[in-house]
Each structure stands twice: as C-alpha cells, then as structure tokens.
Amino acid sequence: MAADLRLFGMVFAAAGEQRLNLYYAPHHGVADAYDFHSLVWEYREGDAWFTRRSISAAEFEDGSVRARWVNGVHSFDPVLGHAVIRVAEADRPRPTPQLRLHYTWRRWDLLDNREVEKLQLCARPDSEYEDDGAQ
C-alpha cells in the first residue's frame, strides 16, 4: 500500500475478523484534495491483516461510461462478499465539461466488482445510509 494513502472509511464485519477499508490518495496539484484510490477487504490472522480483495479506482470505474467512485462505506457481509457503499457518479458520459454528481447507496458485490442493487438516493454527498436492518 502506498505510504501517501489516507484512510477515509473503515467498517468491520460482525465478528470483527474482517474489515473493508476505503482509501483516498492526495490529488496532484491541489492542496487538501483527495481522489478515490481503492476499496480493500482484509481478514485477520492473529495480529496481522491480509488482503482478501482489492478494487482499485480504475477497476471500480471499468465498464461504466460515466465517472464514478466510492464516496463512503456503511457495512459489509463477508459471507456474501457484499458491501453497502456510497457511490458518486456523474450524470452524463465523459468527456463532458460540466458534470453534476449524484450520490447513491448501493449494495456492491466485492468479489465480482459489480452493483447488486441501488438502495437509496442521497440528498447530499455526506448523507448517511438509512439502514432498514437488511445488512
């Protein structure tokens, strides 16, 4: 893992032996700005943590005609390999000079790196997930 990465979010599975980390990297040329870098699923053996699955920014965006990135993490289920994540996504395909961003909470399959379902639209970029107890 690169030394300049910043941890922007972490959630643990129920037993605490697995976690999902959200990493951002400093944006080049802009002070105090960061770009999505990766989602990293880790498991613990003894006192050490090991990577089970890592999804880079490029992998996360792969297959989408619109810019998108992970903006937050809520929870994850290591049995299913699913996570509830907040996704920022542009309203139009690239390249477009002026984009509006939409934020949604989605259930994401970490193993196959694909959306399972959209769960809720966010009113703001920092809107919390209104968990109905599903995960």
Side-chain angles (χ1 to χ4, degrees):
M1 194 76 42
D4 61 346
L5 293 183
R6 305 291 193 275
L7 183 64
F8 269 50
M10 177 189 298
V11 291
F12 286 86
E17 297 298 312
Q18 297 189 59
R19 66 187 181 192
L20 183 64
N21 300 317
L22 172 60
Y23 290 104
Y24 271 62
H27 183 80
H28 300 290
V30 180
D32 297 327
Y34 296 87
D35 294 319
F36 169 60
H37 180 272
S38 58
L39 271 177
V40 180
W41 174 1
E42 295 178 316
Y43 64 95
R44 181 185 359 224
E45 285 187 7
D47 291 335
W49 288 93
F50 299 93
T51 299
R52 164 103 193 255
R53 175 74 161 103
S54 180
I55 301 172
S56 69
E59 287 175 293
F60 187 78
E61 215 174 31
D62 191 37
S64 177
V65 296
R66 298 177 179 151
R68 68 177 181 196
W69 60 89
V70 181
N71 176 256
V73 292
H74 176 269
S75 60
F76 89 109
D77 177 346
V79 174
L80 294 175
H82 291 178
V84 174
I85 60 174
R86 188 173 48 226
V87 176
E89 188 169 36
D91 64 342
R92 289 172 272 204
R94 286 188 254 189
T96 303
Q98 295 181 347
L99 296 174
R100 289 181 35 197
L101 296 174
H102 298 280
Y103 296 84
T104 53
W105 284 102
R106 303 178 191 193
R107 188 173 319 280
W108 201 266
D109 183 329
L110 299 169
L111 296 172
D112 290 335
N113 186 30
R114 66 177 182 81
E115 180 183 309
V116 175
E117 66 179 313
K118 280 189 178 79
L119 299 170
Q120 77 191 46
L121 184 61
C122 299
R124 298 176 322 277
D126 61 348
S127 292
E128 294 297 322
Y129 179 58
E130 296 176 18
D131 192 354
D132 60 4
Q135 185 177 29

